[in-house]
Every structure is written in structure tokens, then in C-alpha cells.
Amino acid sequence: MYAYAGESRTPVSQAALERSAADATDLKFREFFKMPIGPRGLEASEKLLSLVGKRVRVVGHMARQGTPTAGFFILAALPVTLGDEDDSLSDDMPASALFIHLDTEGQLPASAPVPYYPGLLRLTGILSLGPYEESDGHVSTVRLQLDPELAAQLLAKPGSQKSPALQSELAVGASSKGVH
């Protein structure tokens, strides 16, 4: 059992993660927008448009933020650090940044900050598209509603041991190819 804010949590089983990932379509950051960029600027690719409202799997790096945000974090193709205090909304966030929203089905407080995880993460959830003003002032274009099992484990008390099944999902490492 894992502890979070005085409550116990059951680790995610390998079977639950496999079920979650089995019906997901792989989506790479380079598949977000049409290439080359045309006179109208960035335009969503046909693949991105076809996956809206469907379960997808993405691999990327959690953006390091000075102040962790509650309820969501940013995933990018490459490691990136966002300057919250000095640069605020003028940071160098990639255009293909994916905002990951956590839905814990009421199991954890919505105000729980998401701790930083270094390295590659493989995440699964429901894709949404369109401009949306986030609670930190950023405007997101592409979002992923993270599967609740992964969200609960991501928010587990820092330093608590993750289940082996979750570790295999979160710690993709250098063996994963084609992130971009």
C-alpha cells in the first residue's frame, strides 16, 4: 500500500496498465502538426484530428517548472525547463507541448501539486484539442486527460515506492525510440 496525505492506496496492477495501454494509439510529437509549416502557421495534422476524444499513448519528458502546478503538467519531446517567476508566459515552451491533466476520480485533492519526474514518461489518456486557458495562465492547444490509475500514482507522496507496473510505464528510459 502507498501512503498519500494520511490515506492508503493500492498499487496499480500490471493487468490494469496493460488494459489501459492495449486500446491506445501511439502518437508522436512530430505528428501533432502538418509539416512543413505553411503560410497559415501551425495546423493540426490529420492524425491529431482523427484521435480527438480517443485514447492515445505518448512518450516524452515532463517539463521542469519552478513551481509545480496543481492538477496538470506539461510534456514535451525534449527536456525543457520553464521559468515561472522571471519569464512567466514568455518562456520557451515548444509549440508541440502537451498539457497532461490528471483525473483521479476524486481519490486525491484537485490542489495536489504534481511532483517532477526526470527522464522519459509513457502516458496514456484521452486526447483533446483546441485553445484552453490553463490555471497558470498558459493557453494549451493539445491536452491529454491522463488515465486515473496513472494520475493517482503520479501524485503519490514523493519518495513513496511506485508499483513495478507503474515504474515500467513511467521510466521508459533510453530504450524508447521515436519520441519526436
Side-chain angles (χ1 to χ4, degrees):
M1 301 291 257
Y2 298 126
Y4 181 84
E7 300 176 34
S8 61
R9 301 276 176 247
T10 303
V12 175
S13 70
Q14 183 68 37
L17 286 173
E18 287 172 359
R19 273 193 310 276
S20 171
D23 61 348
T25 301
D26 287 324
L27 179 64
K28 296 180 177 153
F29 285 94
R30 69 172 178 236
E31 297 172 324
F32 281 20
F33 302 108
K34 292 180 184 177
M35 296 304 269
I37 297 171
R40 295 181 57 186
L42 290 174
E43 296 179 69
S45 70
E46 294 300 320
K47 182 169 184 177
L48 187 70
L49 292 170
S50 73
L51 292 173
V52 171
K54 297 183 179 156
R55 177 164 271 104
V56 299
R57 181 178 34 256
V58 294
V59 176
H61 296 269
M62 182 183 281
R64 182 183 292 271
Q65 297 178 273
T67 306
T69 53
F72 76 93
F73 63 93
I74 301 167
L75 197 73
L78 299 169
V80 63
T81 299
L82 304 177
D84 297 336
E85 292 182 20
D86 297 334
D87 302 327
S88 188
L89 300 180
S90 64
D91 51 32
D92 289 329
M93 186 171 12
S96 63
L98 179 62
F99 283 70
I100 309 292
H101 286 255
L102 284 68
D103 178 9
T104 60
E105 298 179 342
Q107 295 177 20
L108 298 171
S111 61
V114 181
Y116 175 74
Y117 285 85
L120 288 172
L121 304 177
R122 180 181 13 209
L123 304 175
T124 306
I126 303 298
L127 186 73
S128 63
L129 181 65
Y132 178 79
E133 186 170 349
E134 302 290 347
S135 61
D136 68 350
H138 284 102
V139 176
S140 64
T141 302
V142 186
R143 289 167 301 286
L144 185 76
Q145 184 68 50
L146 192 63
D147 287 342
E149 298 89 5
L150 287 174
Q153 290 292 304
L154 277 171
L155 290 173
K157 190 179 224 178
S160 67
Q161 193 172 13
K162 308 286 187 250
S163 73
L166 181 74
Q167 287 176 353
S168 71
E169 283 300 299
L170 295 179
V172 175
S175 64
S176 182
K177 295 180 181 177
V179 172
H180 312 294

